[in-house]
């Protein structure tokens, strides 16, 4: 069996792979609320048709399932996990008018598949699945296991998806690759060996709700105004101390006022106001020092203004999310770069992912070294209107994933 036969086996199924990607894109699994069940229902028959391996559909909630398939090699060997998420971000009512196609029409125009999730990341799921099918159909021989895990809920933190399968011990592997779209300027030009973590928190300010006509004779503490002052001071002065990280020379980012709410109506001094915020932290940073910097800063503001009643409330799910990193010389990173070079004639640049991916769960819960993102599609086109991916890149992705698995599992 030669590698050439594996690549041919991908080419033999080009049409099928593209139609499968279209089928996935046509399912509106917007999260919230999710709707991953229908995506799993579309994946299952393909896995069954090719008898890929032992398959399980599992989840915290039956309406938010995850599907895992284990392809067994010949004999003992390493365990390689390929992961993709089956949910997509919402299109948005307002943004829908900016699309030139139906976001769930899965149309192909000038060689590009359009639709929400085409790049992020139903197209990459099609590439991963057909890469595995090509190995099977070409009779490829490898040791160990190739596990495909298509999981729910990535776009909303992964509680039903990667976090669940990690907690249940289903995601333990020697290494994991997440096929998130990672192209920066062109397809496959970038391989993310790290991703940022985050702390998501609310700032809640309480004041005295009262008739605004009396604000000059009674002591009015305007919660809305106080919150604005807190946010302004933080934007100007807050520093989160951390070690420099070579992949993130720009450091952490502090993102304030992502939502703002409070108050009731004209003529009422607001007694309550809140804002949602996040700080994107770097791989290797830990929670306690970040919380200390935040709390010390708020204490300073409280000392300056005894009327300030401000509380920091960490988000239930995303209050603290670790960053993740795998060494750039890890055997799977170099194997992927080598497979890319064979298929495309160039190697991707390695570096950090600006955002977060499900890597955090695989690393911090399942203890599996994880490549945060390497997959077809451009990151800049994800989450926006007219999301699209060249169908040729889906074929290339399948070839790269197949070769990389074959080489890594020797
Ligand atoms: Zn994604």
């Amino acid at each position: 069996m030669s590698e050439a036969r594996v690549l041919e086996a991908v080419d033999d199924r080009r049409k099928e792979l593209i139609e499968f990607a279209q089928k996935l894109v046509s399912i509106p699994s917007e999260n919230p609320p999710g709707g991953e069940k229908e995506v799993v229902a579309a994946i299952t028959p393909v896995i069954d048709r090719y008898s890929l391996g032992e398959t399980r559909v599992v989840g915290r909630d039956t309406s938010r399932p995850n599907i895992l398939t284990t392809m067994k090699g010949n004999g003992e060997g390493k365990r390689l996990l390929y992961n993709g998420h089956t949910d997509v971000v919402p299109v948005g009512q307002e943004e829908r008018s900016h699309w030139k196609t139906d976001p769930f029409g899965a149309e192909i125009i000038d060689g590009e598949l359009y639709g929400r999730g085409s790049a992020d990341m139903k197209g990459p799921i099609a590439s991963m699945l057909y890469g595995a099918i090509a190995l099977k159909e070409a009779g490829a021989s490898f040791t160990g296991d190739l596990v495909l895990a298509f999981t729910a809920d990535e776009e909303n933190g992964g509680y039903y998806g990667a976090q669940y399968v990690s907690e249940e011990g289903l995601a333990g592997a020697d290494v994991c690759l997440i096929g998130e779209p990672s192209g920066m300027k062109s397809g496959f030009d970038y391989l993310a060996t790290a991703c940022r973590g985050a702390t998501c928190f609310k700032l809640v300010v309480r004041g005295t709700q009262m008739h605004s006509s009396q604000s000059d004779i009674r002591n009015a503490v305007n919660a809305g105004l106080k919150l604005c002052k807190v946010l302004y001071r933080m934007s100007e002065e807050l520093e989160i101390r951390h070690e420099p990280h070579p992949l993130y020379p720009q450091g952490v980012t502090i993102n304030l006022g992502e939502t703002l709410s409070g108050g009731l109506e004209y003529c009422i001094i607001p007694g309550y106001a809140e804002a949602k915020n996040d700080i994107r932290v770097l791989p290797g940073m830990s929670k306690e020092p970040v919380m200390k910097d935040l709390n010390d800063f708020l204490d300073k503001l409280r000392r300056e203004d005894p009327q300030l009643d401000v509380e920091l409330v960490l988000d239930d799910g995303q209050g603290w999310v670790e960053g993740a990193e795998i060494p750039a010389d890890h055997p799977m990173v170099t194997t992927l770069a080598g497979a890319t070079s064979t298929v495309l004639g160039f190697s991707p640049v390695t570096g950090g992912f600006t955002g977060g991916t499900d890597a955090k769960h695989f690393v911090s819960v399942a203890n599996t070294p994880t490549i945060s993102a390497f997959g077809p599609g451009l990151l800049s086109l994800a989450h926006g209107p007219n999301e699209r991916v060249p169908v040729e890149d889906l074929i290339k992705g399948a070839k790269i994933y197949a070769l990389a698995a074959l080489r890594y599992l020797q």
Side-chain angles (χ1 to χ4, degrees), residues 35-69:
E36 297 92 344
K37 196 170 181 173
E38 221 187 310
V39 184
V40 168
I43 294 171
T44 307
V46 180
I47 288 175
D48 289 347
R49 190 183 330 140
Y50 288 100
S51 306
L52 276 190
E54 190 204 333
T55 300
R56 302 175 66 178
V57 174
V58 295
R60 229 185 266 284
D61 180 326
T62 52
S63 70
R64 314 287 304 269
N66 307 285
I67 183 164
L68 293 95
T69 294

Side-chain angles (χ1 to χ4, degrees), residues 160-410:
Y160 292 98
Q163 185 182 335
Y164 173 78
V165 300
S166 298
E167 284 172 3
E168 292 298 305
L170 302 170
D174 290 284
V175 69
C176 170
L177 164 65
I178 300 181
E180 291 273 9
S182 62
M184 289 294 175
K185 294 203 172 86
S186 58
F188 305 100
D189 64 354
Y190 196 78
L191 185 159
T193 53
C195 69
R196 279 193 167 114
T199 174
C200 296
F201 60 93
K202 268 198 297 204
L203 290 167
V204 173
V205 175
R206 292 184 176 82
T208 44
Q209 185 185 328
M210 60 183 274
H211 203 295
S212 64
S213 67
Q214 297 206 317
S215 61
D216 56 344
I217 49 175
R218 291 173 59 197
N219 179 21
V221 179
N222 181 327
L225 204 49
K226 294 276 186 205
L227 175 63
C228 291
K229 287 181 178 172
V230 169
L231 292 174
Y232 181 72
R233 291 286 299 275
M234 283 178 112
S235 74
E236 293 287 302
E237 299 167 41
L238 175 65
E239 278 185 44
I240 302 294
R241 290 165 300 161
H242 58 85
E243 296 291 321
H245 192 294
L247 298 183
Y248 296 98
Q250 67 279 44
V252 303
T253 63
I254 300 173
N255 308 295
L256 302 168
E258 294 169 329
T259 70
L260 287 167
S261 55
L264 295 169
E265 219 355 306
Y266 288 127
C267 303
I268 307 169
I269 299 290
Y272 181 92
E274 64 168 55
K276 288 184 176 174
N277 318 278
D278 75 60
I279 297 176
R280 298 291 179 138
V281 300
L282 310 184
M285 288 175 70
S286 49
K287 181 178 176 183
E288 287 67 32
V290 175
M291 293 305 132
K292 181 165 181 355
D293 285 347
L294 270 172
N295 284 315
D296 285 353
F297 189 83
L298 293 176
D299 278 343
K300 181 176 86 170
L301 298 186
R302 289 182 189 109
R303 279 196 302 277
E304 289 176 15
D305 177 3
Q307 288 189 324
L308 175 64
D309 177 355
V310 60
E311 187 188 355
L312 182 143
V313 183
L314 285 184
D315 182 72
D316 276 346
Q318 302 184 79
W320 179 258
V321 177
E322 297 275 341
E325 185 170 17
I326 191 168
D329 61 357
H330 186 283
M332 186 58 193
V333 176
T334 51
T335 300
L336 257 182
T340 307
S341 178
T342 302
V343 174
L344 302 180
F346 63 85
S347 285
V349 171
T350 58
F353 205 62
T354 50
T357 70
D358 270 334
K360 60 202 177 227
H361 301 300
F362 297 118
V363 171
S364 64
V365 184
N367 228 347
T368 296
T370 299
I371 297 170
S372 293
F374 186 60
L378 299 185
L379 181 59
S380 58
L381 294 176
H383 294 203
N386 299 311
E387 180 179 346
R388 59 197 181 275
V389 65
V391 293
E392 275 309 313
D393 283 11
L394 301 183
I395 309 293
K396 291 170 185 167
K399 291 179 177 178
I400 292 167
Y401 292 145
L403 278 197
L406 182 61
R407 292 177 185 179
Y408 181 74
L409 292 173
Q410 285 308 308

Side-chain angles (χ1 to χ4, degrees), residues 85 120-121 154-155 180-181 383:
H85 63 83
D120 185 10
M121 58 175 289
E154 190 271 347
E155 300 291 4
E180 291 273 9
H383 294 203

Side-chain angles (χ1 to χ4, degrees), residues 13-21 46 49-50 130:
R13 287 162 191 81
R14 301 170 66 88
K15 190 164 168 280
E16 200 182 314
L17 187 166
I18 294 165
E19 285 172 1
F20 176 69
V46 180
R49 190 183 330 140
Y50 288 100
Y130 276 84

